[in-house]
Amino acid sequence: MGMQWTPAVLHRQRHGRVQCLLCPFRCALKDGESGLCGVRRRSGDRLETATFASSVRHWDTVERKPLYHYRPGTPCLTLAAPGCTFACDYCINHRMSQYGREDSVRWDAAPVDPRDVVGEAAGRAGCVAISYTEPSLAIELTAALAESGRPHGVDVVWKSNGFLTAEAVDLAARHVAAVNVDVKTLDEHDHRELTGARPGPVLDALAGLRERGVWVEVSTPLIPGLTAGADTLRPVARALAALDPAIPWHLVRATPAHRRTGHAPTPVADLAAGVRIGHEEGLRHVYVERALGADGRSTRCPRCRTPVVTREIWALGENTLEDGRCPRCGAAVEGRW
């Protein structure tokens, strides 16, 4: 089905142009021009979006986002509106995310009816996730889903790159219950090489979302030769611990994809070293999805270290928390249980 353009939010008139206020690129557009993302454009005196649509619609679990401290075991009806504000050279979802940036990526999405999606999610006591691509580009769809979902107890969650303006953070916080944000590196040069953008706005957005009550977890991809070393991981862990030691940190094993197909996957030893670094810098919860086995996915009490939530690879194992507290020592475990 062809693209359908609908009215977009977060824009203003500026010096004869329409300026998008969604991401820190703040594209100032002439009539008919699209932003760097390829899915927001100017039409007359207004901004339009093509992201009231999805390339996928399937069920998985909240653990796959990954969100480990938000409603464990919750089924997620997952959507992906094409487009991204980054151009990561290792993106495994580039055939959806790089629409508008790469000519070889064709539009492949169907319009979304928020009430229909919410009705399906409510039928399984689930939530709606926007993932695989950049969900902030679908802020209008997010708002519509959240507004439809509130009477039915259906939340919206994101897997995001966190490249948001303060205006977008304010709007997203009204509609998003939980988000996993990618913090790839804090090194300016490496972040630009990976994504085409600066890292500073990502940390600002992460802090802003937390301050406004959104549950936030963080993922960092360990790319051999670029982000897998201590020089990258320690500053990230330190910055997260300074915000809140209870922020869950997910270390992601990079696999060869897109323009990095000739590279090797992250060595298991690098992932194990990352876990040690996270704990050394004061983070209470550091996770590795598969490479370190079940223990790498388990949540432990921050006081007595008893395992309180165990997980399969993409599913809940057992949650023994009692009103969010350790059943052995009574310590509170941070999360939305």
Side-chain angles (χ1 to χ4, degrees):
M1 185 173 291
M3 297 176 68
Q4 295 187 9
W5 295 92
T6 57
V9 298
L10 294 175
H11 59 88
R12 66 177 177 178
Q13 300 289 324
R14 185 171 176 82
H15 305 311
R17 301 194 177 204
V18 172
Q19 185 178 40
C20 179
L21 304 177
L22 179 65
C23 91
F25 288 135
R26 295 183 179 269
C27 297
L29 306 173
K30 298 177 182 178
D31 195 15
E33 283 187 332
S34 296
L36 289 172
C37 64
V39 292
R40 291 168 75 83
R41 74 177 185 186
R42 176 179 173 178
S43 179
D45 290 332
R46 72 177 189 176
L47 198 68
E48 295 180 327
T49 177
T51 57
F52 225 93
S54 182
S55 295
V56 303
R57 179 167 170 166
H58 65 245
W59 285 97
D60 52 28
T61 62
V62 74
E63 284 78 13
R64 194 170 183 178
K65 296 307 108 188
L67 289 166
Y68 277 11
H69 289 233
Y70 172 80
R71 295 176 58 189
T74 298
C76 290
L77 182 53
T78 302
L79 309 177
C84 192
T85 47
F86 284 176
C88 300
D89 66 358
Y90 67 94
C91 181
I92 63 174
N93 300 312
H94 64 277
R95 291 179 180 84
M96 293 183 285
S97 69
Q98 295 306 297
Y99 175 82
R101 287 176 171 268
E102 296 185 9
D103 292 340
S104 62
V105 180
R106 300 191 304 176
W107 180 259
D108 182 20
V112 173
D113 181 342
R115 289 174 295 182
D116 178 52
V117 171
V118 165
E120 185 176 348
R124 291 183 57 173
C127 64
V128 179
I130 306 182
S131 184
Y132 304 127
T133 57
E134 178 43 46
S136 63
L137 288 171
I139 190 72
E140 297 83 4
L141 175 60
T142 297
L145 289 165
E147 289 164 2
S148 294
R150 284 190 190 101
H152 305 282
V154 174
D155 288 342
V156 179
V157 302
W158 277 3
K159 178 68 174 78
S160 174
N161 65 24
F163 195 62
L164 309 177
T165 62
E167 297 93 330
V169 167
D170 282 336
L171 181 56
R174 301 178 210 167
H175 301 296
V176 179
V179 58
N180 184 298
V181 174
D182 273 356
V183 179
K184 303 173 193 299
T185 175
L186 299 185
D187 181 272
E188 188 85 16
H189 175 270
D190 288 350
H191 199 275
R192 285 184 181 275
E193 180 180 337
L194 273 175
T195 70
R198 297 178 294 119
V202 177
L203 275 187
D204 291 343
L206 193 158
L209 289 165
R210 288 188 67 260
E211 290 168 0
R212 289 159 178 79
V214 178
W215 178 255
V216 174
E217 303 190 17
V218 170
S219 289
T220 297
L222 276 65
I223 301 172
L226 191 59
T227 65
D231 290 348
T232 290
L233 298 178
R234 197 170 294 281
V236 173
R238 189 173 297 146
L240 298 180
L243 277 176
D244 187 344
I247 294 175
W249 191 30
H250 300 261
L251 304 179
V252 180
R253 189 178 200 184
T255 54
H258 197 19
R259 291 190 292 274
R260 287 185 172 264
T261 52
H263 294 247
T266 312
V268 173
D270 288 354
L271 293 159
V275 173
R276 290 195 298 271
I277 288 168
H279 290 311
E280 287 169 2
E281 294 299 331
L283 291 173
R284 298 172 191 161
H285 307 289
V286 185
Y287 298 108
V288 173
E289 183 179 73
R290 281 182 280 188
L292 300 185
D295 190 56
R297 299 185 292 269
S298 295
T299 298
R300 292 180 175 272
C301 170
R303 181 190 294 166
C304 71
R305 305 306 296 165
T306 297
V308 291
V309 183
T310 60
R311 299 175 180 86
E312 306 299 331
I313 292 176
W314 286 330
L316 175 66
E318 183 180 15
N319 180 0
T320 62
L321 290 168
E322 299 172 353
D323 295 324
R325 294 184 175 275
C326 173
R328 180 179 178 185
C329 73
V333 181
E334 297 85 356
R336 305 289 167 80
W337 309 111

